[in-house]
Amino acid sequence: MSIIEQFIAAYGAEPIVLSRAPGRLEILGNHTDYNEGLTLSAAVEQATEFALRPVDGRICTMRDFRDGSVVEFNLNEIDKPRPKDWTNYVKGVIVELRKRDIEIPTFQGAILSTVPLSAGMSSSAALEVAASFAFAEAFAIDLPKPEWAKIGQAVENDYLGVNTGLLDQFSSIYGKKNSLIFSDFRTNEVIKNVTLPEGYMIVVANSMHKHDLVSSDYNVRRQSCENVAEAMGAKDSTIEALRDVSLEQLEQAKSYLDIQDYRRALHVVGENERVLSGIELLEAGDVVAFGQLLFASHLSSRDNFANSCPELDFLVEQAKSIPGCLGARLSGGGFGGISIHLVKVEEADRYCERIAAAFKLQTGIETEIIQCAIGAGATVKAL
Ligand code: GLA
């Protein structure tokens, strides 16, 4: 049943808007976004739909048709998130709009999502963006797209306390069908679209190790990056963020940096460089060398940024020996979640079978494998 049919069955009335916001894959540029750096990412076809209708009173109802849960909240009592409540991502958007003097009226809402949860495909950003776009259309809120991305980020940073960057919301909003997007988080803009050469696709293999940024070391990693930018900035006023640091400069600063912070920064500075080389290689059609950058990125995550886990390392190691794969790495925040694999389309089915079998043998659990199509960015329509 479609979300609209389920909405009518649940609430006995039609929704007035329907939005749709996709999950995303981080292709290269790990933990670069909050360092004012560069990323290469893509929206996927898996998305969250959000439908709503205004009602009287102060009690909003939200339903998730994927798991059947129903959550109510009073608009007067949403200043703080509730533990383990998926509607925090919706309430957070309302709270952030309130800070901008925009009041969301009472509504009944529902979501239906195909984005895997807590996997590193940004199910939370998809929900924030879907809610944002639905509110914008239903209640005539006219804000620029980057501002909506910042609202989603503020939900994570201020409402939920995870100091993430803008990558997830950006990719969900600006995704382009069959295209990767190259974003610059100094200027907060999409610089250009880059296509994967014909005959290649991205396969996602889930480590099944729950990635939950709220409880992860994400904020600690960010702090390390900021420590380095600050220490180097104190000696060189042209350095404001890790974006301004080259590998040579970082090497020179090694003598006075905390060695663990140095390794975190080495990852980020290397990732910025890999994004730039990756784009050049894709544009030159050198998909083999591009794949090697994915492997290099993963090694740097594992060894320098320490945001991998044994299951992710195993999946990436397998990718080096199973035919059909050109490169693989963890994608997103890390500490679990998904790996992405650049695979030849004609070998994809066989590749997926083999990596799934290897993972089962090693860990005793089934991995979740998705052959990902690159989808379009978020949309909304009045009904
Ligand atoms: C998570 C965050 C993003 C980004 C990635 C790592 O997905 O939400 O802002 O920092 O991790 O690149």
Side-chain angles (χ1 to χ4, degrees):
M1 262 209 292
S2 75
I3 182 169
I4 296 182
E5 288 165 328
Q6 295 190 67
F7 192 101
I8 296 169
Y11 292 118
E14 290 180 9
I16 63 162
V17 293
L18 176 63
S19 63
R20 180 186 180 282
R24 65 100 188 86
L25 296 176
E26 173 200 280
I27 306 295
L28 267 180
N30 190 240
H31 288 260
T32 51
D33 59 352
Y34 55 79
N35 291 300
E36 299 187 21
L38 307 169
T39 64
L40 194 56
S41 66
V44 289
E45 294 218 317
Q46 286 75 8
T48 298
E49 291 179 301
F50 192 116
L52 72 81
R53 66 183 283 262
V55 291
D56 292 336
R58 291 300 280 164
I59 310 286
C60 293
T61 310
M62 281 295 311
R63 291 171 188 268
D64 179 351
F65 294 139
R66 174 153 58 177
D67 67 6
S69 71
V70 186
V71 181
E72 290 188 340
F73 54 85
N74 185 324
L75 281 177
N76 301 336
E77 295 163 9
I78 58 171
D79 287 352
K80 290 204 166 51
R82 286 189 295 225
K84 293 194 192 306
D85 176 358
W86 60 269
T87 69
N88 288 338
Y89 298 104
V90 180
K91 291 182 290 183
V93 171
I94 301 172
V95 168
E96 282 306 317
L97 286 167
R98 223 173 243 173
K99 289 186 191 162
R100 291 161 174 80
D101 289 328
I102 299 168
E103 267 308 313
I104 295 299
T106 314
F107 62 90
Q108 289 175 328
I111 60 166
L112 184 58
S113 183
T114 51
V115 187
L117 293 175
S118 297
M121 285 174 82
S122 290
S123 54
S124 58
L127 178 50
E128 289 150 10
V129 173
S132 295
F133 276 38
F135 293 152
E137 181 67 32
F139 307 120
I141 306 163
D142 189 17
L143 291 173
K145 279 183 174 175
E147 190 60 23
W148 285 114
K150 284 185 190 162
I151 286 172
Q153 182 193 24
V155 173
E156 306 282 346
N157 295 180
D158 301 337
Y159 198 62
L160 298 167
V162 198
N163 295 328
T164 50
L166 275 168
L167 168 70
D168 308 343
Q169 293 80 9
F170 236 67
S171 310
S172 182
I173 291 174
Y174 290 104
K176 195 162 184 286
K177 191 157 177 56
N178 294 330
S179 189
L180 310 182
I181 59 171
F182 169 37
S183 309
D184 182 337
F185 290 103
R186 167 147 278 169
T187 51
N188 291 335
E189 61 185 339
V190 174
I191 304 289
K192 63 176 160 182
N193 298 111
V194 186
T195 43
L196 271 186
E198 282 276 311
Y200 297 92
M201 69 181 306
I202 303 287
V203 166
V204 162
N206 194 333
S207 70
M208 308 313 279
H209 188 95
K210 272 270 179 204
H211 134 121
D212 193 349
L213 285 186
V214 181
S215 59
S216 76
D217 290 330
Y218 189 98
N219 292 355
V220 178
R221 295 296 183 283
R222 180 170 181 160
Q223 189 57 55
S224 287
C225 296
E226 285 166 1
N227 291 345
V228 173
E230 201 184 309
M232 292 183 69
K235 295 185 188 281
D236 176 348
S237 62
T238 64
I239 296 176
E240 287 177 8
L242 283 187
R243 166 65 176 276
D244 302 308
V245 175
S246 67
L247 283 175
E248 295 71 37
Q249 285 171 307
L250 187 62
E251 283 315 301
Q252 281 161 16
K254 203 172 171 179
S255 56
Y256 65 84
L257 291 175
D258 174 273
I259 203 64
Q260 199 177 55
D261 288 350
Y262 156 81
R263 295 193 81 87
R264 309 303 186 237
L266 180 59
H267 177 62
V268 172
V269 173
E271 283 293 282
N272 277 331
E273 296 208 344
R274 280 185 283 275
V275 169
L276 290 173
S277 335
I279 291 165
E280 270 178 30
L281 290 169
L282 283 180
E283 289 180 338
D286 192 347
V287 70
V288 172
F290 179 74
Q292 290 301 316
L293 286 179
L294 302 187
F295 283 132
S297 167
H298 185 81
L299 281 186
S300 174
S301 265
R302 188 191 71 184
D303 299 341
N304 296 323
F305 210 68
N307 64 332
S308 187
C309 65
E311 294 88 341
L312 283 170
D313 293 339
F314 178 78
L315 288 166
V316 173
E317 248 346 278
Q318 293 306 302
K320 291 180 181 160
S321 49
I322 303 175
C325 183
L326 285 85
R329 59 179 289 268
L330 69 80
S331 172
F335 314 106
I338 55 162
S339 56
I340 56 164
H341 304 239
L342 178 64
V343 173
K344 284 188 186 147
V345 171
E346 58 185 27
E347 298 192 53
D349 288 342
R350 183 83 187 107
Y351 181 78
C352 292
E353 279 167 24
R354 294 182 78 177
I355 198 151
F359 189 78
K360 179 79 198 279
L361 202 63
Q362 171 79 6
T363 63
I365 44 178
E366 306 277 350
T367 168
E368 180 185 22
I369 306 266
I370 308 171
Q371 293 189 18
C372 271
I374 297 179
T379 54
V380 62
K381 59 183 178 200
L383 299 171

